[in-house]
Amino acid sequence: MGGSLPYGCFCAVPARPGEDAPGDPFGGSGRMGPVSAPAPAGPFAALPPQVDLPAMEKQILQRWEADKVFARSLEASAGKPQWVFYEGPPTANGRPGTHHIEARAFKDVFPRFKTMQGWHVPRRAGWDCHGLPVEIAVEQELGFAGKPDIERYGIAEFNARCRESVERHVDSFAELTRRMGYWVDMSTAYWTMDPAYIESVWWSLKQIFDKGLLVEDHRVAPYCPRCGTGLSDHEVAQGYETLTDPSVYVRLPVTSGEWAGKADLLIWTTTPWTLPSNTAVAVHPDVTYVVARTDAGTFVVAEPLVTAVLGEDVEILARTSGRDWERVHYQRPFELVEFPEGDAHYVVLADYVTTDDGTGLVHQSPAFGAEDLAVCRGYGLPVVNPIDPTGHFLPELPLVGGHFFKAADAALVEDLQSRGVLFRELRYEHSYPHCWRCHTPLMYYAQPSWYIRTSAIKDRLLAENEKTHWHPENIQWGRYGDWLNNNVDWALSRDRYWGTPLPIWRNDADPSKLIAVGSLAELSELTGRDLAGLDPHRPFIDDVTFTRPGEEGTYRRVRQVIDAWYDSGSMPFAQWGAPHRNKEKFEASYPAQFICEAIDQTRGWFYTLMAVGTLVFDESSYENVLCLGHILAEDGRKMSKHLGNILEPIPLMDRHGADAVRWFMLAGGSPWSARRVGHETLSEVVRKVLLTYWNTASFFTLYADTNGWDPASTPAPARAERPLLDRWALATLAAVTEDVTTALEDFDTQGAGRLLAGFVDDLSNWYVRRSRRRFWDGDPAALATLHEVLDGLTRLMAPFTPFVTDEVWTRAVLPGLGGDAPDSVHLASWPAVDEDARDDELVAQVTLVRRLVELGRSARTSAKVRTRQPLARAVVAAPGWASLPAELIAEVADELNVLDMAELSGADGALVDVSLKVDFRAVGRRLGKQVQAVAKAVAAADAAELTAAYRAGTATVQVDGAPVPLEDGDLIVTETPREGWTVASGGGLTVALDLALTPELERAGLVREVVRLIQEARKSSGLEVSDRIELWWTAEDEQIRRALTEHESQLAAEVLATAVHPDSEGPDPRSATVPEALGGRAARVDGLPGLRMSIARTGGSLAGR
RNA sequence: GGGCCUGUAGCUCAGAUGGUUAGAGCGCAUCCCUGAUAAGGAUGAGGCCGGAGGUUCAAGUCCUCCCAGGCCCA
């Protein structure tokens, strides 16, 4: 090669096709050099590098609908094994929020994944229609204050409004569902208000009734006075709010026995409104109580609480067990309420009394406490209730008549105070149950209710839970297991209107005679009328009565409707109308393989689904359950109107794209924990993942198009014959395919997302960047490799980001596949792991290469030598270097722009410092606690000597006077050159660069600088990548002149110059002299001192571009 | 009061089976690279990995207790 200089990658690149015989581009005549012929048209059209993702998504939505892609994906899998998914119906009340996208993204991604894997995954939407939330919304619309308003308005009309409200809200859910690309069949959606659905629910209730598990009972239960209905425990569970109540200590003078007139019982309560109905005071039989004298009086309190309640300054007058106080009478706190004839207001014994707080004496008001009721019943005490079902004190009461129960506290406390029976009042902050819908504080209130005896099947529920796969696992025996273990009977009935009517008819002559009805057909039989067309809702069903031959009395329906949670828990069979209809379909799809909701459903749908399934079929209805954390606003708080931090879902998707929002939900942070969603986070997803992926596809199509590449006519070399980088990309794809599949099988979208994002980054920023020149050249191996990788990657990403992947599929993948390939990625199969492509060694080697490149760049930075300046050589110390293929070593040299690479350990020992460190993992595993002594000995040893011995395999260190041999892998050797080099090392690797510059190297660097300037000018003046140019230059600096002259052919090749005109000013782009023939495009290029250049497009040389 | 979750850089979060220089992104500063990219890379500032004990040759990682926040329940 004579005196010519090597240039690293710069000149190592072969000339482009058509330019390997450049003729005489230096003639100064300006005549055009040869150019390549226009490429034949291939099947690919270039995708634009810029893309408006939300706009693209809308087009794709239209295409999916026009081409019926979802329906075809179901048809295509018909007859294959079923993977059953149950849609938990959203309550069709209120508009959907951004958090609804979360669960719906998960409900979409796994069915898509399983479908691609070859399962048949029917997906049927559902809407939860009944319940208090709907009633409340309608009440608000109508300006109602409570049940009397509804009764006046008419139940039929009211329920019609409820139905209309549900239909209205379903539309907005449907819109969200469509926009986010959640594939679920809404045309066959189940509605819990449909008569067929209700009949199924009835059927199941009849099964439960027949088993004796559906019973009426009078119990104290949480009750919302505003809504006028009892709440089930899982409803109460949703409504705790913190509030501050008065907490009062009240003195009740003893009126019988030894201490009559001499001491006061001291009680403590946070519900002063229950004091007017005080009926008794409970003490624990086995706790010691004392009579204690203080300045304020003489009191009876539990001994462990004396100091806490009365202070240090007390005199104990007596000490006795709680048992001894039984039936001692006292003066009740208020005389407001009439008590029936008979004994009351004395001390009773109860085991549930504790000495954790209060006084150890517990005020009893049986109408308002479940335990109070049980205890007082035991003594035959009356149940006195001065509060009406709307939560107000009866109007005729003095002092508090007509007051709302909680609002009466102040007046009652004041009255106690004025009479001197208030011992102490404190503000007490605690969480208190509120109505989860209207936020009214609940009362515990004695009322008749229908219950399902779930506590009777608790063991069965625990056993079913044992079989269930929970994600995350800790829910199973944590939050959910606790709930099951503390199971109480399901308070099923509601004294409301818009709900599934409880299908029980009672004989009005003998209330013990009950009939449960399982269908309209049964009801028709009982009444002798055809009721098949009856709307089973109230009030129509209430009018249906019947008599039975030989029985007195008429059967009338009990008035209650049921908890809407029971409706949704019945969906496995009720969605089919089973067993009255579609019995086989139901049986074929029970239980479900997969359900998913947010964590608030633990005691909601997750429970009711399992409970109904176990009650009716003795088997839970789901196998795998995903339990998601909540989505929070950017400020880390719940989104709420009140805080003004709401992100509306549709505008959010219209701004960033549904794919971005989906990706965030699936892979941004752990799905199990609460996550903050915001614009910043989403635009990062767009930039880092979606656009990088898109641009890789766009890059591919650009060169597939430019080169007219057609895999059918341009066979690529066999994979094993392709360049290492191609094989690396394919090997990485194979590994990623396997790992992503494993992650999704385990419902781990976060892990899968991390793998995919990492691969997208590797592909774009290593494979494509390193391979660009081969794409410019239309190398079939490179094009085929990238096409194959995009194919696999697009399939892997399709369940996550269904929009952009389908666009890439149809435009960058499909044109290169055979004729029978599906026209949507969502009809394609899940990729199999290409075992032949697997090459873990190569993957590890490329990882090493990239580490070395990083270190080399770091070394350049610290020496302030820019990358465009070629350097003579780099030396490397790295385990595994020796076995690195020359092709990969060339990669490092190219990236670092060095002409030569050598191994440091081969260098002269005098130039190198060595340091040694023990690999603790290796040595620790073998030698255990000796490892520290070995490390010390290694540090103390002469590093050079020990290294030599270590490399020879004979290294030994002395520990406690005994020799310990070191094995291969025990030490990490770090070598560092001493002088005249710039060095970077880390993780046992070292890269050193020779900084000595020769004039030749400097000139090579200058040329590269010039190339960059021209490329920038090409880009900024709007030239296409394949446009050819002419170049004019003048330079004052001798080095630059010489550099440009010396390297003219390389320069011309790099910038696609068909002609170079030294010492010539060229056309002035600002003047009118730029010939039309040059396409009107010309640009000045300024940069290096004293160098002036102009470029202009070579006229008429290329068709089209 | 009980159960569960969380606590790692200014912010958002990674950190299998314990292994000795704790990482990434965003933001900031200074550079570099760029024929696809809204990208990419390097360097710097920024960490008693919530705290205290313990187990271990070795703890961000395992155990116990405590603190703070969140959720769920009494």
Side-chain angles (χ1 to χ4, degrees):
Chain A
M1 291 294 283
S4 73
L5 274 171
Y7 292 100
C9 69
F10 178 66
C11 65
V13 174
R16 290 153 191 272
E19 295 189 3
D20 45 3
D24 178 18
F26 315 129
S29 65
R31 75 182 168 84
M32 287 187 290
V35 286
S36 52
F44 292 93
L47 286 173
Q50 318 276 312
V51 61
D52 178 348
L53 292 171
M56 180 204 74
E57 290 178 352
K58 292 188 175 176
Q59 285 177 7
I60 293 199
L61 280 174
Q62 286 177 2
R63 192 175 79 216
W64 285 345
E65 276 156 29
D67 295 354
K68 301 192 173 12
V69 182
F70 175 36
R72 281 159 60 207
S73 83
L74 288 172
E75 283 160 20
S77 59
K80 292 181 180 170
Q82 228 182 184
W83 195 76
V84 178
F85 156 72
Y86 289 162
E87 161 78 338
T91 304
N93 180 65
R95 295 183 57 80
T98 295
H99 59 282
H100 284 104
I101 303 177
E102 186 192 30
R104 295 173 100 65
F106 281 86
K107 292 173 181 185
D108 190 51
V109 74
F110 293 106
R112 284 181 186 271
F113 166 60
K114 288 290 171 181
T115 298
M116 290 177 78
Q117 277 191 320
W119 300 82
H120 183 56
V121 190
R123 280 155 273 176
R124 187 165 195 211
W127 310 112
D128 194 16
C129 307
H130 289 143
L132 208 47
V134 180
E135 292 194 37
I136 302 262
V138 171
E139 276 193 77
Q140 276 166 1
E141 277 173 33
L142 296 173
F144 287 179
K147 286 165 73 173
D149 287 338
I150 298 173
E151 307 258 350
R152 269 194 299 275
Y153 185 74
I155 294 173
E157 293 75 14
F158 181 77
N159 276 354
R161 297 287 296 242
C162 289
R163 179 187 297 272
E164 184 267 332
S165 166
V166 164
E167 283 163 353
R168 199 169 54 216
H169 287 118
V170 160
D171 286 345
S172 58
F173 270 94
E175 185 192 1
L176 173 89
T177 302
R178 174 182 184 271
R179 178 63 188 87
M180 67 174 282
Y182 172 29
W183 276 3
V184 65
D185 186 355
M186 291 186 279
S187 68
T188 61
Y190 63 91
W191 300 63
T192 61
M193 65 186 182
D194 280 351
Y197 196 99
I198 290 174
E199 282 192 278
S200 285
V201 172
W202 282 2
W203 169 82
S204 68
L205 287 169
K206 184 179 169 146
Q207 307 305 304
I208 296 169
F209 181 85
D210 289 348
K211 291 177 189 174
L213 297 175
L214 176 54
V215 296
E216 190 179 33
D217 199 358
H218 294 264
R219 278 200 354 194
V220 171
Y223 176 85
C224 174
R226 202 220 69 89
C227 302
T229 184
L231 276 75
S232 69
D233 286 285
H234 39 93
E235 283 174 313
V236 175
Q238 323 213 356
Y240 276 79
E241 292 176 23
T242 297
L243 52 76
T244 304
D245 276 326
S247 138
V248 294
Y249 292 78
V250 180
R251 44 208 298 177
L252 305 175
V254 176
T255 58
S256 74
E258 179 189 355
W259 293 96
K262 290 187 266 182
D264 298 342
L265 304 177
L266 200 56
I267 58 154
W268 175 72
T269 182
T270 57
T271 52
W273 58 271
T274 60
L275 287 171
S277 54
N278 170 273
T279 304
V281 167
V283 299
H284 195 288
D286 301 328
V287 165
T288 301
Y289 290 80
V290 296
V291 181
R293 180 153 67 204
T294 73
D295 293 346
T298 303
F299 302 104
V300 181
V301 296
E303 186 173 39
L305 291 162
V306 170
T307 310
V309 176
L310 301 175
E312 301 284 350
D313 197 13
V314 297
E315 187 190 346
I316 304 297
L317 304 180
R319 181 180 274 111
T320 173
S321 82
R323 205 178 302 280
D324 297 333
W325 285 92
E326 190 175 15
R327 295 193 187 268
V328 170
H329 287 70
Y330 62 90
Q331 173 66 47
R332 61 174 169 146
F334 290 102
E335 300 290 339
L336 305 175
V337 181
E338 293 258 344
F339 268 67
E341 293 291 315
D343 201 8
H345 304 109
Y346 54 80
V347 175
V348 297
L349 303 182
D351 286 333
Y352 82 90
V353 173
T354 71
T355 54
D356 292 342
D357 50 20
T359 62
L361 292 88
V362 179
H363 144 67
Q364 300 285 295
S365 182
F368 307 113
E371 284 152 331
D372 304 30
L373 179 61
V375 170
C376 290
R377 265 187 183 160
Y379 282 87
L381 287 162
V383 177
V384 171
N385 184 355
I387 298 182
D388 71 18
T390 69
H392 294 79
F393 278 94
L394 299 172
E396 63 272 18
L397 293 190
L399 187 64
V400 292
H403 282 56
F404 192 59
F405 71 101
K406 264 202 169 301
D409 282 347
L412 291 166
V413 172
E414 197 182 321
D415 187 66
L416 290 170
Q417 175 88 55
S418 70
R419 289 186 286 114
V421 292
L422 182 68
F423 174 74
R424 183 188 292 159
E425 182 192 1
L426 299 168
R427 307 297 288 168
Y428 183 76
E429 192 182 71
H430 60 150
S431 65
Y432 188 85
H434 287 63
C435 178
W436 65 290
R437 211 47 221 186
C438 73
H439 300 283
T440 304
L442 299 180
M443 290 162 51
Y444 285 82
Y445 195 76
Q447 63 204 304
S449 267
W450 289 85
Y451 288 88
I452 296 180
R453 295 262 181 243
T454 49
S455 54
I457 59 155
K458 180 172 149 184
D459 291 345
R460 286 293 307 126
L461 289 170
L462 291 171
E464 289 302 300
N465 187 36
E466 176 69 48
K467 299 191 319 201
T468 307
H469 300 286
W470 284 83
H471 302 266
E473 283 178 9
N474 65 287
I475 305 281
Q476 181 175 24
W477 294 119
R479 188 172 289 201
Y480 189 71
D482 285 348
W483 169 249
L484 287 187
N485 273 312
N486 296 316
N487 188 267
V488 295
D489 289 343
W490 185 346
L492 183 75
S493 60
R494 297 287 180 276
D495 295 303
R496 295 295 304 189
Y497 311 96
W498 180 239
T500 298
L502 188 61
I504 292 179
W505 272 255
R506 189 200 301 271
N507 187 312
D508 59 6
D510 179 357
S512 69
K513 285 185 174 166
L514 300 168
I515 293 180
V517 174
S519 68
L520 286 171
E522 272 181 51
L523 197 57
S524 302
E525 213 168 291
L526 287 164
T527 58
R529 290 158 49 202
D530 180 9
L531 297 172
L534 180 76
D535 176 355
H537 284 98
R538 295 188 71 186
F540 315 110
I541 194 70
D542 299 342
D543 298 337
V544 178
T545 60
F546 54 87
T547 55
R548 306 203 74 186
E551 282 186 29
E552 255 185 83
T554 302
Y555 282 85
R556 304 178 190 280
R557 197 186 72 82
V558 301
R559 276 300 174 264
Q560 288 103 331
V561 298
I562 65 165
D563 184 0
W565 288 102
Y566 188 95
D567 289 348
S568 54
S570 304
M571 63 71 63
F573 51 92
Q575 67 171 332
W576 298 109
H580 310 309
R581 306 165 179 81
N582 300 312
K583 192 159 184 283
E584 336 61 49
K585 278 188 182 161
F586 157 64
E587 280 166 359
S589 59
Y590 191 95
Q593 270 69 57
F594 169 65
I595 63 170
C596 168
E597 303 292 336
I599 191 164
D600 53 314
Q601 296 298 330
T602 315
R603 296 165 186 212
W605 196 55
F606 293 153
Y607 171 65
T608 61
L609 204 56
M610 184 181 285
V612 173
T614 307
L615 282 161
V616 179
F617 305 108
D618 200 32
E619 182 185 10
S620 174
S621 45
Y622 54 91
E623 293 171 359
N624 294 287
V625 48
L626 265 58
C627 189
L628 307 173
H630 282 131
I631 294 299
L632 304 175
E634 208 154 16
D635 58 7
R637 297 194 282 184
K638 256 185 174 168
M639 287 190 199
S640 81
K641 235 177 248 175
H642 171 63
L643 294 168
N645 58 358
I646 290 189
L647 284 178
E648 288 293 340
I650 302 264
L652 196 67
M653 289 189 281
D654 283 347
R655 174 159 159 189
H656 301 281
D659 279 339
V661 180
R662 290 173 61 111
W663 184 276
F664 169 79
M665 296 296 176
L666 297 168
S670 167
W672 321 132
S673 48
R675 291 174 294 163
R676 305 177 180 197
V677 64
H679 294 301
E680 280 301 310
T681 319
L682 290 173
S683 68
E684 193 178 319
V685 169
V686 171
R687 290 203 322 273
K688 289 263 189 258
V689 182
L690 302 182
L691 288 181
T692 308
Y693 165 71
W694 174 266
N695 281 312
T696 304
S698 160
F699 174 89
F700 165 75
T701 54
L702 175 61
Y703 291 101
D705 178 29
T706 306
N707 293 291
W709 181 68
D710 183 354
S713 59
T714 321
R719 291 178 176 191
E721 311 293 315
R722 296 183 198 173
L724 275 181
L725 213 51
D726 292 351
R727 279 148 59 192
W728 170 77
L730 293 165
T732 306
L733 174 67
V736 167
T737 302
E738 177 168 341
D739 294 345
V740 167
T741 307
T742 305
L744 288 183
E745 298 279 14
D746 194 32
F747 298 100
D748 177 11
T749 53
Q750 185 191 19
R754 200 166 34 228
L755 289 161
L756 289 167
F759 186 49
V760 165
D761 187 69
D762 285 348
L763 189 65
S764 172
N765 291 315
W766 186 256
Y767 177 75
V768 170
R769 195 168 59 74
R770 287 301 316 153
S771 308
R772 274 185 297 208
R773 284 160 194 275
R774 291 168 53 215
F775 285 95
W776 304 343
D777 296 344
D779 176 1
L783 285 162
T785 300
L786 188 50
H787 182 257
E788 286 158 22
V789 171
L790 279 172
D791 179 341
L793 173 61
T794 299
R795 292 177 201 243
L796 293 176
M797 283 177 64
F800 286 77
T801 55
F803 295 95
V804 70
T805 49
D806 213 17
E807 185 73 359
V808 168
W809 176 265
T810 49
R811 297 180 66 178
V813 176
L814 187 59
L817 299 178
D820 55 353
D823 59 1
S824 166
V825 70
H826 307 298
L827 302 171
S829 60
W830 190 251
V833 177
D834 182 350
E835 290 299 340
D836 293 341
R838 284 298 289 259
D839 191 339
D840 294 341
E841 190 190 1
L842 177 58
V843 169
Q845 284 174 334
V846 172
T847 303
L848 173 62
V849 162
R850 295 180 69 177
R851 286 279 300 126
L852 293 173
V853 167
E854 257 173 52
L855 288 170
R857 283 204 274 249
S858 164
R860 270 189 179 269
T861 302
S862 58
K864 298 201 188 306
V865 181
R866 61 182 199 281
T867 311
R868 277 190 299 271
Q869 176 60 58
L871 294 175
R873 61 186 173 138
V875 292
V876 171
W881 172 262
S883 57
L884 220 49
E887 215 175 320
L888 291 182
I889 291 175
E891 294 282 329
V892 182
D894 192 14
E895 276 288 305
L896 296 181
N897 198 14
V898 297
L899 308 184
D900 184 46
M901 302 216 56
E903 187 170 12
L904 184 59
S905 58
D908 185 344
L911 291 177
V912 176
D913 283 329
V914 182
S915 66
L916 285 174
K917 222 170 56 178
V918 173
D919 183 336
F920 281 85
R921 190 190 279 265
V923 180
R925 189 168 295 149
R926 189 172 83 247
L927 299 177
K929 64 169 63 175
Q930 267 191 312
V931 68
Q932 303 297 352
V934 172
K936 215 173 264 179
V938 167
D942 181 294
E945 255 174 52
L946 186 58
T947 304
Y950 177 62
R951 291 202 165 121
T954 60
T956 304
V957 288
Q958 295 289 324
V959 174
D960 297 334
V964 174
L966 294 176
E967 298 179 2
D968 194 32
D970 282 356
L971 298 181
I972 296 166
V973 183
T974 307
E975 295 172 299
T976 326
R978 281 182 188 155
E979 306 239 333
W981 298 70
T982 181
V983 181
S985 54
L989 309 176
T990 300
V991 174
L993 302 175
D994 183 351
L995 293 174
L997 283 185
T998 61
E1000 288 81 4
L1001 286 170
E1002 281 175 9
R1003 288 199 296 277
L1006 283 171
V1007 172
R1008 198 152 156 183
E1009 204 69 51
V1010 166
V1011 167
R1012 184 182 68 89
L1013 290 168
I1014 297 174
Q1015 302 292 29
E1016 229 166 62
R1018 284 183 59 113
K1019 199 172 173 183
S1020 62
S1021 57
L1023 293 173
E1024 298 291 338
V1025 296
S1026 52
D1027 281 340
R1028 267 50 179 176
I1029 60 168
E1030 289 188 56
L1031 170 66
W1032 294 262
W1033 61 267
T1034 65
E1036 287 154 22
D1037 182 88
E1038 187 48 38
Q1039 268 289 71
I1040 295 179
R1041 292 184 60 82
R1042 193 170 160 196
L1044 293 184
T1045 314
E1046 239 172 36
H1047 299 291
E1048 187 171 275
S1049 59
Q1050 285 82 19
L1051 173 62
E1054 280 291 308
V1055 302
L1056 299 189
T1058 53
V1060 179
H1061 312 280
D1063 300 317
S1064 171
E1065 287 282 345
D1068 182 348
R1070 284 156 305 193
S1071 77
T1073 61
V1074 181
E1076 275 305 305
L1078 298 185
R1081 287 198 201 279
R1084 289 299 279 261
V1085 187
D1086 296 312
L1088 295 172
L1091 171 67
R1092 284 208 304 282
M1093 296 182 284
S1094 296
I1095 60 169
R1097 206 181 81 172
T1098 302
S1101 57
L1102 281 175
R1105 312 201 63 89

